[in-house]
Amino acid sequence: IHEGFRRDLVWSPLHGRMAPARRDCSGWEMLLPTGCLLLSVLLFHPALAKVCNDRTKHGQDNSWFARDGENLPIMVLMPMNESALMSSISQGIEPAVQLAIQHIRESRKYSFSLITKIYDTECDNAKGLRAFFDAICYGPKHLMIFGGVCPSVTSIIAESLEGWNLVQLSFAATTPVLADKKKYPNFFRTVPSDNAVNPAVVKFLTYYNWSRVGTLTQDVQRFSEVRNDLTNELEKADIQIADTESFSNDPCVNVKKLKDNDVRIIIGQFDENLASKVFCCAYNLNMFGSKYQWIIPGWYQGNWWEQANSTNCTTKKLLTAMEGYISVDFEPLSARQIKGISGRTPKEYEREYSRELQQKGVEASKFHGFAYDGIWVIAKTFTRVMELLRRKQQQNTYHNFTVDDREVGKLVLDVMNETNFFGVTGQVMFRNGERMGTIKFNQFQEGQEVKVGEYNAIADVLDLINNSIRFQGVEPPKDRTFVRLQRRHINVPLYSILSTITILGMLMAGAFLFFNIKNRNHRLIKMSSPYMNNLIILGGMLSYASIFLFGLDGGFVSDKEFETLCTVTGVCFGLIQASHLLFPLQIIKDQKLLIIVGGMLLIDLCILICWQIVDPLKRTVEEYSLEADPQGRDIAIRPFLEHCENTHMTIWLGIVYAYKGLLMLFGCFLAWETRNVSIPALNDSKYIGMSVYNVGIMCIIGAAVSFLTRDQPNVQFCIVALVIIFCSTITLCLVFVPKFITMRTNPDAATQNRRLKFTQNQKKEDSKTSTSVTSVNQANTSRLDGLQTDNHRLRMRITELDKELEEVTMQLQDTPEKTPYIKQNHYPDANNILSIRNFTDGKDGEKSILKNHLEQKPQAQWGSMDPSRINRGPLEDINSPEHIQRRLSLQLPILHHAYLPSIGGVDASCTSPNGSPGSSPRHRHMPPSYRVMVSGL
C-alpha cells in the first residue's frame, strides 16, 4: 500500500487491486474523487494499515477497563465552524452534552468520568474523513463515537465502523439511509429517523378512518426514502394510495393531478422552501378548507412561510391555504413530567439548559434533549460492558479484553440494544439501532402551530388532546368524495293522489259492470253483446290496477320483489293493450266475437311467453351524474333509477306496438263499415272512432313524453297514470254512458227503425233519402227526383185526406146491413191501399188511399143509407154499437197496415206505384192468406 502511494496508486478493496489516486491537491480530502470517499475510510482498516492502530506507539492503554475516577474520552463528530452548514445545531448541543456529563458526575453512580473531544467535520465529506482519521491516529483511546449531524459525512464514517470495531451514537442524523443494518451495523441514534413518523402518520390516518390518501414528494433522496417507507406502512395498514406525485421545482401540475384524482388527504414530503409554492398552488386550486387535509413535516423553522415565500401569493393567501394543516415530527422533550435517569423532570432539565444557553450566548437546538440522553446511554453502556467483561475475565484470567477485540465489539452492540430508561426525551429504547421515540402532532391554527397529540412508538399508542384539533368543517374531512346513492322514487303524496283517482275509476267501472249485468236481458244491452261489455269493463279495471304496479319501486319493495314486479308488469302491459281493442269488435255476434277475442289473447300470450323465455324483463339500475348535496354536506349524490328492461327491449316493444296498431286499424275499419247500421243499439261507429282516436293520440303522446322523462320518475309516473286513467275512463264512458242515457230517456229505442222516424226538417230527410237511393242505383237519378216529388205531393195530400177522413168517420151513419158489403166489396181496395203504401210512410198513406176510394164510389156508399136513420140525433147515432163497429171495420185495416213494418210485417217499400211488386230490391213476397187476414181485419 505504501508502495502504491509512492507510485500514485491506492488500494481498492472493491476491485481487489491498486487504483490510481488523485494527488493534485494538498491534504487527504482530495485523495479520491468524491464518489469514492468511502474507499478512503477502508484504507485505514486495522487489517490493512497498522500505522494508525499501533496504540503502544503512543504509550496508551488498550484495555477496555477503567480505574476509578479515570477519564474516558468520547470522540464527538459535528460541525463547529459557524460558516459550515448545520453548525447552529452543534452550537446548541455542546451545553447539553456538558450538562449531561456534569449530572453523571454528580450522580456518583459511575466509577469513571466522561470527557468529550470534539472534531469539526464542517459538514464536508473530505474534511469529515480527515477529522475522523486524525482522531483515530493521533487522538486518545476512544471507546465510542458520539455525533454525526450531517447525513453524508455520518453515512461515510458509519459504514467503516465495523472495521474499526467502534460504535457510533448519533443525536441528530435523521436520514433513513442509516437504518440499513446490513450496511451500518454499528450505528445507533437517540433521535428518531425520518421514517419513524410513518407509523405515527398511519396511526393518525386510521384514527380518523382515512383509507385513501395521496403523496406529494420533493424529488430529493431524503424525501423519496421516507415516501418509499411510508408506502410500505400504508400497504400494511390496507390504506389505498390514490396517487403518488413527485416534483422538482414547480408543484402546481402535480397538485392539480391530485385534485383531479379526488385526493382529499395529502401527505407531503418537501422542505420549507417549496412548501410555500405548494400551498400557493393549493390556494389557486381551492384545495384547502373543510374538504382537504394536508400532512407535512414538522421540522420547519418558525414563520417559514414568510422567510421562504418566493411565490406570487401574498402571506394572507398562504395562511388561508395553510390553515388546519397537520405537521408531524419527533418530540424534542417528553411531555410527561416524571423524574428520569438523571433525577430530573424534562421541565427541570429544560430550565437548566436554558441557563447554560444564556451563559454561553448561543441559540437552542432542537436536538439538545437527544444529545443529553445520548451521554447517559454511553455512560450506562460503559458501565454494563465493564461489568460483563470483569465477570468474563474472572473466568478466564489469561484473556485481555482490548478495544480491538471483536467479542468486546459485539458485547457493546448487545448492551446498546438492551438500553431502556426514561430520559428527558421520553423512554429511551433501541430496536435494531433505531430509537423508539415519541412523535408529536401539531396543527396550524390561526397563524401558529398548536400541539394536538403525540404517538408513543414503544406502546404503539396515539394520544390526541381532547378538542384540540379544529377542522374547517363540522367534521373531519372525508378521504374521498363519498358518493351516496339516492334512489329516485315516486313521491308518496303523488302516488296517493293518483291511487285515489284510480280507485274512483275502478268504482266507476264496477258500477258499469253492475249496470251491464243487471240489464243483460234488456233488448238494448242484449243487442250490444253484454259479455263483451263485461270483458271491456274487466280490461278497464285491469288498466286501472296496473297503475298501482307502475308506481312501485325499490322504495316500497325489495330488489327480489321488484324482479317479480317486472314480470307481472310486462304481462299487464300486453293485456291492457288488448282491453282497448274489444270495443270496436262488439258489433259482431257473440260466438264469433269470442273466437276473435280468444285468438287475440292467444297471440298476446304467445308474444308474452316468448318474451319472458327468450329475453325476460329484469331489474336494471341506471345511474346518473354526481350532484351536490342539497344540505351542504361533504358528500356527492349519485341518483339512480330502477327500470324493468331487457337486452332487446326495443325489438319486443316494436312487435307489440305493430301488432296492436294493426288491430286498432282493423277496429277503425269495422267502425267505418258499420256506420250506416240503422239500429241504435248496434251502430256505435262514432263512439268507436272517438275511443280509438283518444286511445291512439294519448298513447302516442304518453309514450313520447314518458321516454323523454325517464330520468324523472314522478313526471313519468304521473303522465303514464293519467294516460291510463284517461283512456280507460273515456273508453268505458263511450261504451256505457250512451246506453244508460238511452235506457233512461227512451227504453224502446232498440226496436225503432231510424228510417221510420220523421224529422222536423223535411229537406234534411229528403236529402238522406236521396243519398240512400243514389247508393243503390246511380243511373236512376232523374227517376228518383220524380219519385221524391210525387212522394212529397202525396204526403201533403195525405194530410188533407186525413182531416176529411176524420170528418167522414164521425158522420158515418150506416146500417148494419152494409157491413157485409164492406167486407166483401173492399177487398180489391185493400190491394190498392198496399200498392200506394210505397209512396207514403205511416198513417198518412192509409188515409190518402182511403180518401181515393171514397171519392170513386160515393154513390154506392152514401146512396144506400136508410132514410129512417137520418132523423136520429147525432149523439145517439154516433155512439151506437153499429157506428162503432163500422168505424172499426174501416180504421183497423188502415192502422194495421201502417204499422206492419214496425212489428216485422210488410215493409213500407214493398210495392211501387210504377211497377210490379217484385221490381223493388227490398220486396218480400207475402203469402196470400196473410193479405186476406189484413183486409179481413
Side-chain angles (χ1 to χ4, degrees), residues 549-798:
L549 299 179
F550 290 147
L552 296 178
D553 53 19
F556 298 95
V557 297
S558 62
D559 295 345
K560 185 176 181 181
E561 293 172 345
F562 192 84
E563 291 278 356
T564 306
L565 282 178
C566 288
T567 304
V568 176
T569 304
V571 175
C572 289
F573 172 78
L575 296 180
I576 289 170
Q577 297 293 331
S579 65
H580 292 294
L581 300 172
L582 298 178
F583 184 30
L585 301 176
Q586 60 178 338
I587 60 174
I588 306 175
K589 293 183 179 181
D590 288 347
Q591 294 180 353
K592 294 183 179 180
L593 186 57
L594 290 174
I595 295 174
I596 294 175
V597 173
M600 290 167 51
L601 293 178
L602 182 61
I603 295 175
D604 285 328
L605 289 177
C606 292
I607 294 176
L608 293 176
I609 291 173
C610 294
W611 190 345
Q612 292 301 316
I613 293 177
V614 177
D615 193 11
L617 289 172
K618 296 181 180 180
R619 174 182 175 270
T620 59
V621 177
E622 182 180 2
E623 295 184 352
Y624 298 93
S625 58
L626 294 176
E627 299 177 358
D629 181 53
Q631 300 180 2
R633 295 172 297 180
D634 187 18
I635 59 175
I637 303 298
R638 184 178 295 280
F640 73 94
L641 192 59
E642 296 170 308
H643 298 289
C644 289
E645 293 181 350
N646 50 16
T647 307
H648 306 288
M649 190 73 176
T650 306
I651 297 176
W652 292 106
L653 289 179
I655 294 174
V656 173
Y657 286 145
Y659 168 57
K660 302 301 180 182
L662 292 176
L663 290 182
M664 292 186 71
L665 292 177
F666 178 66
C668 294
F669 170 75
L670 292 180
W672 176 260
E673 289 296 320
T674 59
R675 68 189 184 280
N676 294 323
V677 174
S678 60
I679 302 176
L682 295 178
N683 191 356
D684 293 317
S685 59
K686 64 177 181 179
Y687 302 133
I688 296 173
M690 294 172 61
S691 176
V692 172
Y693 175 80
N694 290 323
V695 171
I697 295 299
M698 292 303 297
C699 288
I700 293 174
I701 296 176
V705 177
S706 176
F707 177 78
L708 295 177
T709 60
R710 59 181 284 119
D711 58 338
Q712 304 177 26
N714 289 313
V715 178
Q716 185 183 43
F717 172 68
C718 183
I719 292 175
V720 172
L722 291 178
V723 167
I724 294 176
I725 292 173
F726 180 81
C727 293
S728 301
T729 304
I730 290 297
T731 301
L732 293 176
C733 291
L734 288 175
V735 173
F736 295 100
V737 171
K739 293 179 175 57
F740 179 78
I741 295 174
T742 302
M743 288 190 63
R744 296 283 295 179
T745 58
N746 190 8
D748 297 329
T751 61
Q752 294 180 357
N753 191 320
R754 291 182 180 178
R755 288 173 298 175
L756 299 180
K757 297 180 180 179
F758 289 107
T759 61
Q760 294 180 356
N761 191 342
Q762 196 67 33
K763 292 182 180 181
K764 184 177 181 180
E765 185 70 22
D766 295 342
S767 177
K768 290 183 179 180
T769 304
S770 175
T771 303
S772 176
V773 175
T774 303
S775 62
V776 177
N777 190 358
Q778 295 291 340
N780 297 328
T781 302
S782 59
R783 179 187 175 190
L784 289 176
D785 292 340
L787 291 176
Q788 289 178 0
T789 303
D790 294 340
N791 193 354
H792 180 68
R793 178 178 55 80
L794 289 175
R795 285 184 179 183
M796 299 299 295
R797 182 61 178 166
I798 286 173

Side-chain angles (χ1 to χ4, degrees), residues 71 97 422 479 496 611 742 811 814 913:
N71 295 327
V97 172
F422 186 82
D479 60 358
S496 302
W611 190 345
T742 302
Q811 298 177 4
D814 234 346

Side-chain angles (χ1 to χ4, degrees), residues 65-115:
F65 297 101
R67 292 181 294 272
D68 292 340
E70 184 179 358
N71 295 327
L72 296 181
I74 301 173
M75 182 192 304
V76 180
L77 297 176
M78 57 183 181
M80 298 301 295
N81 193 336
E82 294 182 0
S83 61
L85 185 65
M86 301 179 72
S87 60
S88 59
I89 296 177
S90 303
Q91 294 175 3
I93 291 298
E94 187 176 3
V97 172
Q98 298 301 326
L99 193 60
I101 294 175
Q102 178 184 345
H103 291 167
I104 292 174
R105 188 182 305 113
E106 292 175 355
S107 66
R108 298 183 178 180
K109 295 180 181 180
Y110 303 93
S111 60
F112 53 85
S113 296
L114 297 177
I115 60 173

